[in-house]
Amino acid sequence: MTSPDALPPPPSRAARLIGLGSWLPLRQITNTELCSRLDTSAEWIQARIGITTRHVADPATATSDMAVEAGLRAMKSAEVEHVDALLLATTTPDHPVPSTAPTVAHRLGLRQVPAFDVAAGCSGFVYATSVAAALIQSGTAHTVLVVGAETMSAIIDPADRSTAPIFGDGAGAVVLEAGRAGEPGTLGPVAWGSDGEHAGAIYVPEGGSRRSPSPVTGAEAGRYVHMQGNVVLRHAVRHMSQVARDAAAAAGWAVRDIDRLIVHQANARISAAVADDLGIPPEGVPSNIARVGNTSAASIPLLLAHATADGRLTAGQRVLVAAFGAGFTWAATTLVWPRGLQALT
Ligand code: UT7
């Protein structure tokens, strides 16, 4: 067997970010509206999570619908009409079977391209982006559309105060194209991992092969997300801090080189703790959780789009992206923000 060290160096080909788009459903649920039906308060939600309002899809809108909208905008932003593959990061596919990505590809007019879902919880978008980058680096694909889209409202119990205030719906997407390693916009090495020991910390008990759907309703309903929030919170801070350090080191950056930390919008306290651990000041940590909530796999591309649209992400900044989610899973990567990238939101 050849040792990894004896292999040729990595190719100079890399995945470059050339398009960015996002989409949010129109309907919003404010803290005030939530408080009218839950045993909670707007102050508690604001102080403990940092969310003021979240967008929620209407019952006729599924994950593929939002993914198509975000995908269209990303392709328009990139000025491309075709891509070689589509990856959809989601934990809320339209159906258990088939996967949702082929539907999205079909509706985008991407005839017969390879298309598949990536399920890695809130880390799904960074996982999918890294797989797409590897497809590009290997020469398997030249251009790839990566979408993160979630209809969290479909799997959240509206009567559960420990999850209902947190999650929101939405979609974001990027187009990656083959470029030269090291040029602005190209993705650095990924640092990532998982720990299935904590699979039960965020999970939906029913609907998979372990347990078929039951007619139980209310707090015990098996079709909803069950979450041990404080366990998740602790691990999220620890793993995102560490994986951010690992991704920075793999890129040859010192942590102080990071101009912008794009961290999964799980809870404003989690983002602040990660930033604090890394020594990154608040102005270096764009956030949109106050107005979109935790959108799981859509969180990172939505934040990239919003921060670009409002000028918090600008050309030349060294950007580190880090995520953590159900599984547990975690992932981080780096890029220097490219010139001329317009986000269509
Ligand atoms: O995206 C990746 C997946 N998800 C996450 O990353 C979420 C991570 N976790 C969190 O964001 C936080 O853990 C929560 C926001 C879910 C909860 O905040 P916490 O500070 O960890 O609170 P806790 O679960 O430790 O609960 C503290 C208290 C409890 O009351 P007692 O036992 O101290 O009397 C809860 O019953 O807060 C209570 N509580 C609430 N009170 C008012 C829990 N939810 C609420 C609520 N309103 N909505």
Side-chain angles (χ1 to χ4, degrees), residues 38-41 44-45 48-49 122 160-163 165-167 202 227-234 236 240 264-270 294-296 324-326:
L38 280 179
D39 177 20
T40 185
S41 70
W44 194 96
I45 298 170
R48 300 290 275 256
I49 320 178
C122 304
D160 180 359
R161 73 171 185 171
S162 67
T163 54
I166 299 177
F167 293 98
I202 318 176
M227 182 169 79
Q228 296 163 19
N230 45 18
V231 174
V232 178
L233 187 142
R234 269 200 322 277
M240 279 200 284
H264 165 52
Q265 301 290 283
N267 180 321
R269 284 190 292 145
I270 294 178
N294 179 341
T295 56
S296 186
F324 174 89

Side-chain angles (χ1 to χ4, degrees), residues 22-29 37 51 53-67 69-70 89-93 147-158 163-172 225 264-265 288-303 306:
S22 68
W23 192 82
L24 288 167
L26 281 181
R27 174 158 151 65
Q28 291 184 45
I29 298 186
R37 58 176 159 85
I51 298 173
T53 186
R54 64 290 288 147
H55 292 252
V56 180
D58 66 63
T61 300
T63 293
S64 63
D65 302 317
M66 294 189 279
E69 294 294 341
T90 190
T91 40
T92 50
V147 186
E150 298 281 18
T151 315
M152 294 305 289
S153 56
I155 58 168
I156 294 299
D157 181 354
T163 54
I166 299 177
F167 293 98
D169 300 339
V225 169
H264 165 52
Q265 301 290 283
N288 63 352
I289 193 168
R291 69 182 176 105
V292 301
N294 179 341
T295 56
S296 186
S299 157
I300 295 282
L302 270 170
L303 179 55
H306 292 168

Side-chain angles (χ1 to χ4, degrees), residues 141-219:
H142 182 78
T143 313
V144 181
L145 176 63
V146 185
V147 186
E150 298 281 18
T151 315
M152 294 305 289
S153 56
I155 58 168
I156 294 299
D157 181 354
D160 180 359
R161 73 171 185 171
S162 67
T163 54
I166 299 177
F167 293 98
D169 300 339
V174 298
V175 176
L176 301 174
E177 182 185 74
R180 238 188 308 275
E183 70 176 314
T186 53
L187 298 178
V190 64
W192 51 357
S194 76
D195 184 357
E197 185 186 343
H198 300 285
I202 318 176
Y203 87 124
V204 176
E206 295 176 357
S209 58
R210 179 68 63 195
R211 212 160 112 192
S212 32
S214 72
V216 175
T217 56

Side-chain angles (χ1 to χ4, degrees), residues 268-283:
R269 284 190 292 145
I270 294 178
S271 305
V274 174
D276 189 52
D277 187 81
L278 297 171
I280 299 174
E283 60 273 19

